[in-house]
Amino acid sequence: MATHVDPITLAVVRGALETTQREMTLTLEKTGRSSVFNLAHDYSNALFDHFPEMILQGQDIPIHLGSLIPAMKAVAGHFGDDIHEGDVIYHNDPAYKGSHILDCCMYKPVFYRGELVFWTVCKGHLTDIGGPVPAGYNPDAKEIYAEGLRIPPVKLWEKGKRRDDVINLLLTNMRARRDQEGDINAQFGACRVGERNLLALLDKYGVNTVRACIAELKDMADRQMRALIRAVPDGVYRGCAVLEDAGHGFGEMAITSTITVSGDRLHIEVQSPPQIPYFINSYEGNSLSGVYLGLMMFAQLPPPYNEGLYRCVTVDLGPRGTLCNAVEPAPHVNCTTTPMETLTDAVRMALEQAAPERVTASWGHASGINIAGIDPRSGEQYVTMVLASIISGAGATQVMDGWHAVGPLCCFGALSSGDIELLEYSYPIIIHRYGLVPDSGGAGKYRGGSGTAWEVEPREHEMQVIAFGEGRQIPTMGAAGAENRLLEPKLGKLVVTRPDGRQVHRHNTMLTIKPGERITNINPGGGGYGPAFERDPRAVLEDVRNGLVSREAAELEYGVALNPDGLSVNWARTERLRG
């Protein structure tokens, strides 16, 4: 017999679950060792019930959260009945529905009076996972075995006993061991904090009441998604996005999404080319995250966010062995950005064919760098993914400009760049520049958010740099008639400046930077919305005064002329330009 739940109890239990997730996140921020954890916040937390179904996801990294749903089921299914109180399981393998091998996930079953009731789950991007290339992004990898350490589901704690042999095996295969060990300990702490709070909740309300509240929260999410889909006309809709040529001879590739709407149900089918011997293949768990992000960008539903959202959604990722449904031994480490963001665009575009009133522009795609070397201050090796280097702009909407410096699309605003001073303190580097890039936001009635430039120089040592990503050939997609006329500033770039001032442009590659040399990573902005000539000239003037748009772009892209003092609009000439 189902337990009735009154609205007050439901609200209190929901608040306790949300607070539990936020405490897990805070634990990671305050105890993580690497800058990826304690500055950039490249991690995500979620709570699952005993089924296991996701009952709460944090407002964290989208590329993590969608993949947690199949990964949790794969991990629980792997151990079956061999799950006990005090166990802690670790995992990163895409063959077990993980995202990519740098995103390592910890799963802690929560038992109450001998019964499995919850799972606390924490996924975080470790700064290194072994393999031939520091920080894991190997553009020369032809197969997954050349990328780093794969961790199938394995117990790090068994019935409450720490398995030092297994943990030592993992850490021995990773660079900058101290950082990796600190981050794994932070994950354990976050899972323990979640467990503590959930047990207190069960003590107060009992298993039956808490389960009834969770069932209602999942039903609530289900009702909201079904209501949205019912409002969309039945039919078949398609969206296609192009993945740019990465410069390794594979050319451009198209990813297509075909979406069928029928009543209150949605079926999403993905078509992608065959997998390739390059690190942009996406396995099933990661691709589901891309699909779900595209869906949620379109849906824009309020909380709760749990597995109930996807009861009425089915997904077909296409034949196995394709770019978005890769199988071993396909290399994959770059997949959480490329091709995930392109897949997200394809899904969002198909849905917007069904409901044009929900059209938005895309966010900038990720292109960034990782750095590694020997710290001359300590003689120790360091390695990190510089997440500050991948911060791009958000897309514009039907009512407002895109936000600056909140991308890329795969993180959707959840990523932090961290303080410049703390990065310089943590690593032997000087950051010469970190700021918004003029004219990088897509032109439109509503302008896309600006991307960023991050320029660094190594101090007293040679620094290895690994570059990855896209957005360097194809600008971010706008919407509703937005068009860019000044293309160069809209693209990402990787620029090496030699001591004599000579500049060299590079792409997805590995290189060594010496003291006196600088490397600058420039990110694209977000896409614009609507025809740029419809933008209020006074808004263009304000953008010019703020350094977001140049006078050249004001005239070329927006048809707005300024008076010589740059403080006012030349209305007569603007009228001629727009005429």
Side-chain angles (χ1 to χ4, degrees):
M1 181 176 177
T3 301
H4 172 72
V5 179
D6 65 90
I8 301 301
T9 301
L10 177 64
V12 172
V13 170
R14 175 178 175 178
L17 295 172
E18 292 171 349
T19 298
T20 294
Q21 186 278 327
R22 286 196 296 268
E23 282 197 49
M24 293 172 67
T25 296
L26 188 62
T27 300
L28 284 171
E29 178 186 350
K30 300 302 182 184
T31 64
R33 179 77 195 187
S34 74
S35 64
V36 171
F37 271 35
N38 58 38
L39 293 181
H41 305 166
D42 192 355
Y43 47 65
S44 299
N45 297 290
L47 304 177
F48 285 77
D49 58 19
H50 62 293
F51 287 114
E53 291 184 352
M54 181 186 282
I55 60 176
L56 179 73
Q57 67 177 45
Q59 296 185 32
D60 294 323
I61 308 295
I63 189 57
H64 292 165
L65 295 167
S67 65
L68 282 179
I69 293 173
M72 177 75 259
K73 292 172 174 56
V75 168
H78 177 77
F79 285 100
D81 295 333
D82 187 21
I83 296 172
H84 309 280
E85 190 167 357
D87 286 353
V88 176
I89 301 167
Y90 212 53
H91 153 259
N92 75 354
D93 193 351
Y96 288 86
K97 308 300 190 291
S99 46
H100 69 169
I101 57 173
L102 286 157
D103 288 334
C104 296
C105 195
M106 187 172 285
Y107 309 81
K108 192 176 196 315
V110 177
F111 285 79
Y112 185 73
R113 298 177 181 174
E115 180 184 8
L116 176 62
V117 183
F118 291 111
W119 292 81
T120 57
V121 180
C122 171
K123 175 178 280 192
H125 183 116
L126 294 192
T127 55
D128 190 75
I129 199 65
V133 175
Y137 285 72
N138 182 5
D140 293 333
K142 302 296 188 294
E143 55 184 11
I144 193 170
Y145 310 109
E147 294 185 298
L149 181 65
R150 294 169 64 186
I151 308 171
V154 61
K155 293 184 180 181
L156 301 188
W157 277 259
E158 189 167 15
K159 297 180 180 179
K161 180 177 174 58
R162 177 184 165 106
R163 298 191 60 186
D164 290 312
D165 55 343
V166 176
I167 294 173
N168 184 54
L169 172 66
L170 301 183
L171 294 173
T172 299
N173 281 279
M174 300 176 186
R175 299 171 182 84
R177 176 183 179 125
R178 185 177 63 172
D179 281 359
Q180 319 315 322
E181 185 170 17
D183 287 350
I184 290 174
N185 287 338
Q187 289 182 280
F188 179 65
C191 288
R192 284 289 300 272
V193 165
E195 178 186 44
R196 179 197 66 193
N197 287 12
L198 293 173
L199 291 175
L201 180 65
L202 294 171
D203 280 338
K204 185 169 183 178
Y205 290 100
V207 173
N208 290 337
T209 297
V210 172
R211 281 182 171 166
C213 290
I214 290 170
E216 173 57 25
L217 290 172
K218 288 192 283 189
D219 288 346
M220 188 184 303
D222 178 45
R223 289 193 298 269
Q224 291 183 159
M225 182 62 81
R226 289 182 188 274
L228 171 72
I229 295 172
R230 279 196 297 269
V232 175
D234 286 358
V236 178
Y237 306 94
R238 291 181 177 82
C240 182
V242 177
L243 186 66
E244 68 186 30
D245 185 356
H248 286 244
F250 300 107
E252 293 182 349
M253 292 176 279
I255 296 176
T256 302
S257 171
T258 303
I259 295 180
T260 303
V261 180
S262 178
D264 64 355
R265 300 194 62 83
L266 198 69
H267 179 66
I268 303 174
E269 183 178 349
V270 176
Q271 300 88 36
S272 61
Q275 66 188 44
I276 59 176
Y278 185 59
F279 67 172
I280 61 171
N281 301 287
S282 181
Y283 287 71
E284 179 183 350
N286 183 74
S287 293
L288 279 173
S289 283
V291 169
Y292 289 160
L293 175 55
L295 172 60
M296 293 305 291
M297 285 182 70
F298 166 80
Q300 302 170 38
L301 292 173
Y305 302 129
N306 56 50
E307 199 160 333
L309 289 167
Y310 310 114
R311 287 176 182 169
C312 56
V313 179
T314 54
V315 179
D316 178 0
L317 294 173
R320 287 168 56 81
T322 50
L323 195 72
C324 294
N325 194 7
V327 296
E328 299 174 85
H332 77 298
V333 162
N334 199 25
C335 68
T336 53
T337 61
T338 308
M340 194 282 286
E341 292 165 320
T342 306
L343 172 58
T344 293
D345 279 336
V347 171
R348 177 184 54 78
M349 292 167 66
L351 288 164
E352 289 170 353
Q353 293 291 318
E357 71 275 6
R358 289 180 173 268
V359 169
T360 62
S362 183
W363 290 37
H365 290 198
S367 61
I369 61 173
N370 300 329
I371 60 174
I374 303 298
D375 192 334
R377 301 169 298 183
S378 63
E380 295 181 356
Q381 186 177 31
Y382 73 90
V383 55
T384 190
M385 182 180 188
V386 184
L387 289 160
S389 74
I390 70 171
I391 303 296
S392 59
T397 72
Q398 298 180 23
V399 296
M400 63 180 288
D401 295 340
W403 296 310
H404 306 304
V406 297
L409 177 58
C410 63
C411 300
F412 214 59
L415 198 68
S416 174
S417 58
D419 293 334
I420 295 297
E421 294 81 4
L422 289 176
L423 285 170
E424 291 180 328
Y425 174 80
S426 301
Y427 307 107
I429 59 176
I430 299 174
I431 300 171
H432 290 281
R433 177 187 175 196
Y434 186 44
L436 302 179
V437 179
D439 295 331
S440 58
K445 178 180 180 179
Y446 294 104
R447 174 191 32 72
S450 297
T452 62
W454 195 84
E455 183 176 75
V456 65
E457 176 187 347
R459 295 179 58 195
E460 301 176 2
H461 77 296
E462 294 186 352
M463 180 175 72
Q464 190 170 3
V465 176
I466 304 96
F468 61 92
E470 60 169 345
R472 293 174 175 145
Q473 299 173 26
I474 301 175
T476 306
M477 285 188 295
E483 181 182 354
N484 296 316
R485 299 187 179 186
L486 195 62
L487 294 180
E488 187 65 21
K490 308 291 190 293
L491 300 175
K493 303 177 190 64
L494 186 70
V495 182
V496 180
T497 304
R498 304 300 186 192
D500 60 4
R502 180 171 52 93
Q503 291 189 333
V504 180
H505 289 246
R506 304 296 294 270
H507 199 28
N508 292 359
T509 187
M510 295 179 286
L511 62 157
T512 299
I513 301 296
K514 300 177 181 179
E517 297 179 324
R518 302 179 184 185
I519 188 161
T520 307
N521 194 70
I522 299 173
N523 277 278
Y529 180 92
F533 275 26
E534 294 182 7
R535 185 167 178 79
D536 186 339
R538 288 164 294 193
V540 177
L541 169 63
E542 190 68 15
D543 285 344
V544 173
R545 295 178 64 181
N546 288 330
L548 301 174
V549 173
S550 67
R551 295 188 66 158
E552 176 191 6
E555 293 198 12
L556 181 63
E557 296 198 300
Y558 295 96
V560 174
L562 304 184
N563 289 315
D565 61 5
L567 300 177
S568 57
V569 176
N570 185 323
W571 293 99
R573 186 154 182 264
T574 296
E575 186 175 352
R576 290 196 298 274
L577 288 172
R578 290 188 165 189

